[in-house]
Amino acid sequence: MPIATVNPATGETLRTFEELGADGIERRLAAAAAAFRRYRTTDLPERARLMSRAADLLEEDQEAVARTMTTEMGKPLAAARAEAAKCVKAMRWYAGHAEILLADEEPNETEVKDSGAARARVHYRPLGAVLAVMPWNFPLWQVIRFAAPALMAGNVGLLKHASNVPQTALYLEDLFGRAGYPEGCFQTLLVGSRAVEGILRDPRVAAATLTGSEPAGRSVAAVAGDEIKKTVLELGGSDPYVVLPSADLDRAVRTAVTARVQNNGQSCIAAKRFIVHADVYDAFAERFTARMAALTVGDPMADTTDVGPLASEQGRADLEELVDDAVRLGATVLCGGGRPAGLTRGWFYEPTVLAWITPEMRIHREEAFGPVATLYRVNGLDEAVELANDTPFGLSSNVWTRDPAEQERFVRDIEAGGVFFNGMTASHPALPFGGVKRSGYGRELSGHGIREFCNVTTVWHGADPDE
Ligand code: NAP
């Protein structure tokens, strides 16, 4: 894939970039290694000062960087502004919390004695240069939620961003540079995916994190496995959105629309499969469909737009194939189901609701990465849990019920990295984020995220027999 900014609202190529060659990659790996040698010993107040400065600069740049994101990948401008603001918040959160999250841990005194030690502690040290392979859908947030904890932990970052968001990628390197980070602490590598293996195998790279599709995750994990390097994988999702009879139906419907079409439907944690109890199915289907059909699709720069274009022509073609396959196998189109009339340029797709989904349909098992919702009718809790888990993915889940016993059933049985009751899944700096099954492994955000790329060091002092 060429490294270029192509406006998804028009299909127009705005800028192309030359890929970094072998010499350029070598220079940057050497710079990362040199930077790590010094940066790893900086104290946490100094790291917090740098991170806070970067957050302040990003806050000042909010409008400009939001416009860059919208131009490169098509999310509505208001959502791009919100994404930048969320990054600022996460950077400040890690600047303020890293010292507590990385504080030495003192194991239980009796157990320390039992190990033969006078004293012992657990100490968190950085690992080194971490390669971050990142997707285009939240081009700023995906990177910041890696970079803020990684840099606060004393690691240095190498960003291989998606090839269609090069300007956002370059902005990030510039941001950390202007904030005063020493040279080499955070670098953007403008390379295609074929260069990833060589970079990851380089001994100067300690670990990798990848957010993206299953094939990309498999490929990076295989190389990292061969090199015995730590990885975190945040892959796709097909999150269930379960609505049970005790739900506040109005709120469940309103939230369902946002949960499905946020980011033009291209979010890993978007609700994708709507599993509704028979008692409320007809009412939910009618109101949900009416709201989906009423959304405004169009220019992502316009304040009135709810849903912009898909990020790439290929992405739209993949979505069209999934919908066409479902319809061929008997799904009913309640609204949408094609390209919006009148939008002939760009890669737009109508907000779509499909009902009567069956397991033979590809959309039942694959991720629909666009504004397409699938509706299922279930007769009880057991069926809802079973269907919610009937997917290769396990990122998050949403359940609408006011019944505590039903809630506990999902806490116990849902195969996902999260369960959000009476609301929609959203990431927050203080809450761990990640999945199970084909959605990946490891966690980002919170204390769990910052410790993923740490050397958890046991410090043990033998007891003096003369004491
Ligand atoms: P993608 O094609 O996998 O691309 C993601 C990144 O991986 C890009 O930088 C891409 O580079 C690179 N890449 C692709 N193939 C690779 C390979 N074989 N080896 C090494 N790197 C490779 O995914 P996408 O289409 O951009 O993003 C959509 C996917 O990401 C969806 O499945 C979505 O659910 C998932 N996602 C997950 C999360 C989460 O937190 N779990 C968050 C957001 C998105 P190029 O651009 O150069 O190809």
Side-chain angles (χ1 to χ4, degrees):
M1 195 195 283
I3 298 179
T5 297
V6 183
N7 185 347
T10 61
E12 193 186 350
T13 301
L14 301 177
R15 270 184 81 177
T16 54
F17 293 80
E18 199 156 324
E19 215 178 299
L20 208 59
D23 289 353
I25 294 173
E26 170 53 34
R27 267 199 304 279
R28 280 162 185 265
L29 289 174
F36 179 63
R37 277 194 292 277
R38 294 186 304 273
Y39 183 68
R40 60 185 282 276
T41 59
T42 51
D43 60 19
L44 276 156
E46 169 62 2
R47 290 181 206 160
R49 190 188 64 74
L50 290 168
M51 188 57 66
S52 301
R53 177 75 187 126
D56 293 348
L57 290 172
L58 177 54
E59 195 166 49
E60 286 168 20
D61 297 345
Q62 181 184 19
E63 184 63 21
V65 74
R67 285 181 179 275
T68 303
M69 287 192 278
T70 295
T71 303
E72 293 202 299
M73 54 66 65
K75 72 174 62 205
L77 185 57
R81 289 186 188 118
E83 181 173 339
K86 184 171 180 170
C87 292
V88 171
K89 181 172 165 177
M91 292 159 91
R92 289 185 177 144
W93 191 84
Y94 272 110
H97 288 77
E99 196 145 4
I100 299 165
L101 301 173
L102 297 177
D104 285 357
E105 284 167 18
E106 308 266 340
N108 173 286
E109 203 177 325
T110 314
E111 280 157 3
V112 167
K113 293 264 161 16
D114 187 55
S115 79
R119 60 184 198 282
R121 66 194 159 106
V122 177
H123 183 65
Y124 294 97
R125 291 188 292 159
L127 280 185
V130 183
L131 173 66
V133 182
M134 290 289 143
W136 45 263
N137 62 342
F138 292 92
L140 208 56
W141 170 242
Q142 304 291 1
V143 177
I144 291 297
R145 79 179 185 188
F146 147 73
L151 289 167
M152 284 308 300
N155 295 300
V156 301
L158 289 165
L159 170 64
K160 180 271 177 274
H161 217 325
S163 292
N164 57 340
V165 289
Q167 296 192 54
T168 312
L170 290 171
Y171 167 78
L172 281 155
E173 179 179 271
D174 181 61
L175 173 72
F176 287 111
R178 281 187 289 134
Y181 278 85
E183 200 190 332
C185 278
F186 186 91
Q187 302 177 87
T188 289
L189 309 174
L190 281 188
V191 293
S193 57
R194 269 181 317 215
V196 168
E197 175 168 357
I199 296 166
L200 185 50
R201 286 196 187 279
D202 191 284
R204 291 165 291 189
V205 173
T209 180
L210 178 137
T211 301
S213 62
E214 207 181 312
R218 189 179 296 116
S219 159
V220 164
V223 174
D226 195 39
E227 296 287 339
I228 323 286
K229 290 182 180 177
K230 171 79 185 272
T231 48
V232 167
L233 297 184
E234 299 286 4
L235 308 180
S238 190
D239 290 358
Y241 190 99
V242 179
V243 184
L244 296 170
S246 68
D248 174 338
L249 205 61
D250 273 341
R251 277 184 56 221
V253 168
R254 267 185 282 120
T255 309
V257 174
T258 309
R260 180 54 285 211
V261 303
Q262 60 171 329
N263 214 39
N264 306 340
Q266 303 159 119
S267 168
C268 52
I269 47 166
K272 293 177 183 130
R273 298 174 298 129
F274 295 81
I275 298 168
V276 186
H277 193 282
D279 289 358
V280 287
Y281 180 89
D282 289 340
F284 180 90
E286 189 186 322
R287 293 188 221 173
F288 179 56
T289 304
R291 282 182 175 270
M292 287 285 280
L295 293 168
T296 304
V297 181
D299 177 6
M301 290 288 182
D303 287 342
T304 47
T305 293
D306 299 308
V307 181
L310 296 186
S312 70
E313 193 165 21
Q314 185 60 50
R316 182 175 65 177
D318 292 346
L319 190 68
E320 284 176 332
E321 266 185 35
L322 274 189
V323 172
D324 293 349
D325 170 78
V327 170
R328 192 172 50 78
L329 291 170
T332 305
V333 180
L334 298 184
C335 71
R339 300 178 184 187
L343 289 169
T344 48
R345 295 195 324 148
W347 305 311
F348 294 93
Y349 197 81
E350 291 176 309
T352 297
V353 180
L354 300 178
W356 306 112
I357 305 299
T358 57
E360 302 74 50
M361 297 172 189
R362 283 180 52 203
I363 204 164
H364 179 74
R365 306 198 67 74
E366 296 180 30
E367 180 182 31
F369 219 51
V372 175
T374 50
L375 267 183
Y376 296 83
R377 182 188 189 115
V378 291
N379 290 308
L381 191 60
D382 290 340
E383 204 184 330
V385 173
E386 195 178 323
L387 192 52
N389 286 336
D390 186 23
T391 168
F393 298 107
L395 194 50
S396 188
S397 59
N398 312 263
V399 183
W400 287 76
T401 170
R402 289 187 268 211
D403 180 337
E406 288 180 348
Q407 293 180 355
E408 283 315 305
R409 174 73 193 279
F410 277 93
V411 172
R412 191 190 72 183
D413 290 341
I414 194 77
E415 297 167 2
V419 51
F420 285 64
F421 294 111
N422 304 315
M424 59 180 262
T425 299
S427 54
H428 183 279
L431 299 173
F433 183 96
V436 294
K437 295 162 74 176
R438 296 289 175 107
S439 292
Y441 51 74
R443 291 293 177 269
E444 294 192 285
L445 301 175
S446 77
H448 294 276
I450 198 169
R451 292 187 206 110
E452 286 283 3
F453 294 113
C454 283
N455 174 355
V456 184
T457 308
T458 300
V459 183
W460 189 94
H461 300 266
D464 186 341
D466 297 332
E467 273 182 14

